[in-house]
Amino acid sequence: MLSLENQVRQYLITEKNIDEKTIVSLDGRFGKLPFFGVEVIFADEPDVRYFYTEIDGKIVPVHVTLKPKGYNYKHK
């Protein structure tokens, strides 16, 4: 789980150009097996949870907290 957390952190910083200071938390989560994901909370969107996982060697976003229609997600 720690390895996946580190992979997601590197993905956000290097590929998405997100400043590490804006990442409030990064926590590994178990879903229905075989799903392992990482929940990410950003400082500029503290009430939204983003979920990432690794598929075929790549980090991909898999889910985001649903907000009202028209909400502009900052990290999607």
Side-chain angles (χ1 to χ4, degrees):
M1 195 60 70
L2 184 57
S3 174
L4 182 57
E5 290 173 0
N6 288 333
Q7 289 174 6
V8 169
R9 180 182 305 279
Q10 288 299 65
Y11 165 80
L12 293 172
I13 294 168
T14 59
E15 293 187 35
K16 293 303 219 176
N17 297 317
I18 293 174
D19 185 346
E20 188 170 12
K21 295 174 191 168
T22 66
I23 301 171
V24 172
S25 71
L26 230 135
D27 294 310
R29 302 281 185 205
F30 291 100
K32 289 187 177 185
L33 291 177
F35 181 78
F36 299 99
V38 176
E39 176 189 77
V40 180
I41 300 173
F42 297 97
D44 58 353
E45 244 180 339
D47 60 336
V48 177
R49 301 321 190 237
Y50 290 85
F51 295 89
Y52 297 84
T53 195
E54 181 267 328
I55 298 175
D56 295 330
K58 295 182 180 183
I59 299 300
V60 294
V62 290
H63 181 68
V64 65
T65 304
L66 295 178
K67 298 298 277 179
K69 187 175 181 177
Y71 182 83
N72 186 24
Y73 293 95
K74 297 178 182 181
H75 302 283
K76 197 167 184 182

